[in-house]
Amino acid sequence: NRHLVSMGEVETATDGGKWFSESQVMWPGQKMSLKVSSGADGKARILHQAKSKFQDILVFESTDYGRVLVLDGVIQLTERDEFAYQEMITHIPIFAHPNPRRVLIVGGGDGGVLREVARHSTVTHIDMCEIDDQVVECSKKYFGSTMATAFDDPRLTLIHDDAAAFVKRNSQNKYDVIIVDSSDPVGPAETLFKPDFYEAMAAVLAPGGIVCTQGECVWLHLELISSVITSCCDIFPTVEYAYTTIPTYPSGQIGFIVCSTDTRMNALRLPDRHPDANIQKQLRYYSPQVHQSAFVLPRFAQHEVDEAKRKAGKQPQPAVDVPKPGGGEGCVVM
């Protein structure tokens, strides 16, 4: 008893419950499954299912994770844990910048990154380039009270275009922060992992500008991560890798490749500013302490990141010495 739903599968278990399982794209041998809520008629609560010009789009109601957005059979977000990703991909670069005013969001059609960027009063202009208008409309309809809450912000200019082409075509624009909230490097997001795109982004950064991109998972994609880091080290003077934990992403973890034209020691690892009390009480994952700890990688991953930098002729930065509260010897943060 099973049927395909937007390249994933909804199966009926032995207890009669219905489960959605991801299609296996970049993580062979494993897949995430979530139990789908059932209506009074016993049918799975599939809220939206369509095929856009670029990808399959699915929204369903889960029993424990709220509403779920799936693109091409891969979970993009759940209402229960999305903040772990949205807050970190946004606030790491924005709080690392001393005065972010102009921000470019690439992708992010669900509205989560936009929601987080819009919290910052220093930001005066937001360009958002999302190739698939149907993802935006779907998010407004089904995630309008949770994710897609800032599409009416007057600072926003929403563009539906290929981001690589948009950035090259508008090289006169200069941004303080660029956030690339892309799906995996297959289909419409493939070009966003190419060196040419990073070069194009570097060309539209203002002095001291920061780029933060979705950086896959160290448990599954270290070879890809290392390759991108090496390429980025040929383009940016400062390149780092950070990560967040999130239950419904592959292996419960996803990373960020963070690059800057700022050459200061620890320009990215240490926040330049802290959230004020009003912003901090709205956040459920990010804090200045979490910002610093996000760059502390397990040894196997740190080794590969360091080797990727050396391959580009750069020496990894030394550890950050963070003093204990009240003085005393520092603890080492890699």
Side-chain angles (χ1 to χ4, degrees), residues 55-244:
Q55 56 205 335
D56 292 305
I57 304 172
L58 168 70
V59 179
F60 68 88
E61 190 82 43
S62 70
T63 58
D64 297 278
Y65 280 81
R67 291 182 174 181
V68 181
L69 174 65
V70 179
L71 299 180
D72 280 344
V74 177
I75 293 170
Q76 303 298 306
L77 70 91
T78 80
E79 289 180 317
R80 179 174 171 178
D81 64 4
E82 52 83 11
F83 63 91
Y85 173 78
Q86 314 292 352
E87 290 184 17
M88 292 294 279
I89 197 173
T90 303
H91 299 307
I92 284 176
I94 286 192
F95 279 117
H97 196 286
N99 187 30
R101 297 176 63 80
R102 293 179 56 84
V103 177
L104 170 63
I105 302 170
V106 173
D110 53 59
V113 169
L114 174 60
R115 177 193 67 196
E116 298 304 319
V117 171
R119 299 190 196 278
H120 292 264
S121 59
T122 62
V123 174
T124 59
H125 182 84
I126 306 167
D127 282 339
M128 178 173 170
C129 188
E130 163 60 57
I131 195 170
D132 197 337
D133 63 321
Q134 288 196 37
V135 173
V136 173
E137 294 308 311
C138 179
S139 297
K140 287 180 180 179
K141 183 174 181 179
Y142 296 104
F143 300 93
S145 63
T146 54
M147 298 280 294
T149 59
F151 281 103
D152 292 331
D153 193 298
R155 296 171 291 178
L156 173 66
T157 300
L158 179 60
I159 305 108
H160 293 300
D161 196 358
D162 175 81
F166 170 78
V167 170
K168 289 180 180 178
R169 198 169 56 243
N170 293 274
S171 58
Q172 75 282 359
N173 292 341
K174 299 298 177 184
Y175 299 99
D176 300 305
V177 174
I178 301 175
I179 301 168
V180 183
D181 177 18
S182 67
S183 51
D184 298 305
V186 291
E190 187 174 2
T191 60
L192 305 185
F193 286 76
K194 303 291 187 183
D196 286 353
F197 183 56
Y198 282 88
E199 290 175 354
M201 288 192 291
V204 298
L205 276 182
I210 300 172
V211 171
C212 184
T213 73
Q214 188 270 99
E216 297 300 332
C217 175
V218 296
W219 293 103
L220 301 167
H221 309 122
L222 259 181
E223 185 175 344
L224 171 63
I225 292 166
S226 297
S227 174
V228 175
I229 287 174
T230 298
S231 295
C232 287
C233 284
D234 291 332
I235 302 166
F236 299 92
T238 302
V239 179
E240 300 287 356
Y241 189 85
Y243 76 98
T244 188

Side-chain angles (χ1 to χ4, degrees), residues 227-284:
S227 174
V228 175
I229 287 174
T230 298
S231 295
C232 287
C233 284
D234 291 332
I235 302 166
F236 299 92
T238 302
V239 179
E240 300 287 356
Y241 189 85
Y243 76 98
T244 188
T245 59
I246 177 167
T248 55
Y249 280 3
S251 297
Q253 183 266 357
I254 196 165
F256 314 108
I257 294 173
V258 196
C259 311
S260 180
T261 60
D262 191 335
T263 58
R264 293 176 301 160
M265 181 71 72
N266 298 313
L268 299 172
R269 297 182 188 183
L270 301 178
D272 198 280
R273 300 172 301 112
H274 288 189
D276 61 29
N278 180 54
I279 290 181
Q280 189 63 75
K281 72 181 182 181
Q282 298 175 50
L283 304 180
R284 292 186 285 168

